[in-house]
Amino acid sequence: MTFEHNTLEQVTTWVNAGHVSDFPENGGSTIFHEGDQIAVFNFKVLNKWFATQNLCPHKKQMILSRGIIGTEGETPKVACPYHKKTFSLETGENLNGCEDSIETFPIKIEDDTVFVGLYEKK
């Protein structure tokens, strides 16, 4: 399955994911919203935040928030901790080219609060 890269213009709801200090530096954590699991990453080294689905499409495990973050060239990525499949944190593209992509979500920080942007699913 391939997901469209979602933009700020598509956001219909901003969900309060928690305080900046709730998320580990250079790591991820899971938030739950209406039955969905979203992985939120504080990529402190790059001074950027990212949000993706938590489900790794390879073996259908809710694990990406515990993945290893890094870069491939200029592309920030997360590697599934079980099978090392890697995905772009910006677009969700599978960087191995052999599996489905993952869904990504816009993120913003206001007054030390992390918000994840959600949108109407088609």
Side-chain angles (χ1 to χ4, degrees), residues 49-110:
W49 289 76
F50 300 96
T52 70
Q53 69 185 49
N54 196 34
L55 179 71
C56 179
H58 178 64
K59 293 287 185 181
K60 308 294 186 228
Q61 294 170 315
M62 295 293 189
I63 193 68
L64 290 179
S65 66
R66 292 188 274 157
I68 303 157
I69 60 174
T71 57
E72 185 167 313
E74 297 293 315
T75 303
K77 68 177 184 176
V78 61
C80 174
Y82 285 151
H83 306 101
K84 307 303 182 250
K85 303 289 183 182
T86 58
F87 304 92
S88 166
L89 288 170
E90 295 174 321
T91 66
E93 173 190 4
N94 182 309
L95 300 175
N96 304 105
C98 59
E99 297 286 333
D100 293 338
S101 62
I102 60 172
E103 193 168 13
T104 60
F105 304 93
I107 201 160
K108 67 180 180 178
I109 311 297
E110 291 182 353

